[in-house]
């Protein structure tokens, strides 16, 4: 499962937590690397190219949850 697919499981109209917030932001970003399973690629994208700001420490926590699936 790609990270994008994992995040889409957390999408919701009401923001419940950090994963939901990131999922909602990524869903609206057409350039997000949707096929990636690579931490460095996604982290670099969020840090340098994403049209939104997201705390990378929170991303690290979400990534750890992704790895547990």
């Amino acid at each position: 499962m790609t990270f994008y697919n994992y995040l889409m499981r957390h999408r919701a109209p009401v923001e419940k937590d950090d994963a939901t917030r990131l999922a909602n932001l990524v869903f609206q970003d057409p350039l997000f690397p949707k096929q990636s399973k690579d931490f460095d690629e996604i982290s670099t994208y969020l840090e340098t190219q994403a049209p939104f700001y997201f705390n990378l420490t929170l991303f690290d926590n979400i990534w750890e949850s992704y790895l547990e699936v």
Side-chain angles (χ1 to χ4, degrees):
M1 167 185 339
T2 67
F3 184 68
Y4 179 82
N5 293 130
Y6 170 77
L7 275 181
M8 291 306 101
R9 295 166 62 188
H10 293 277
R11 249 182 97 224
V14 176
E15 190 175 303
K16 299 182 289 188
D17 55 25
D18 296 322
T20 301
R21 185 161 70 87
L22 181 57
N24 291 341
L25 290 168
V26 163
F27 179 75
Q28 297 175 27
D29 180 4
L31 300 179
F32 186 84
K34 295 177 179 156
Q35 300 305 315
S36 183
K37 297 179 182 179
D38 182 69
F39 174 86
D40 291 329
E41 179 183 10
I42 296 170
S43 179
T44 299
Y45 177 83
L46 291 174
E47 188 172 5
T48 63
Q49 298 175 22
F52 56 84
Y53 170 78
F54 192 80
N55 183 306
L56 292 181
T57 301
L58 297 176
F59 165 70
D60 291 345
N61 295 338
I62 295 166
W63 184 268
E64 289 299 318
S65 297
Y66 163 65
L67 294 178
E68 293 172 4
V69 172

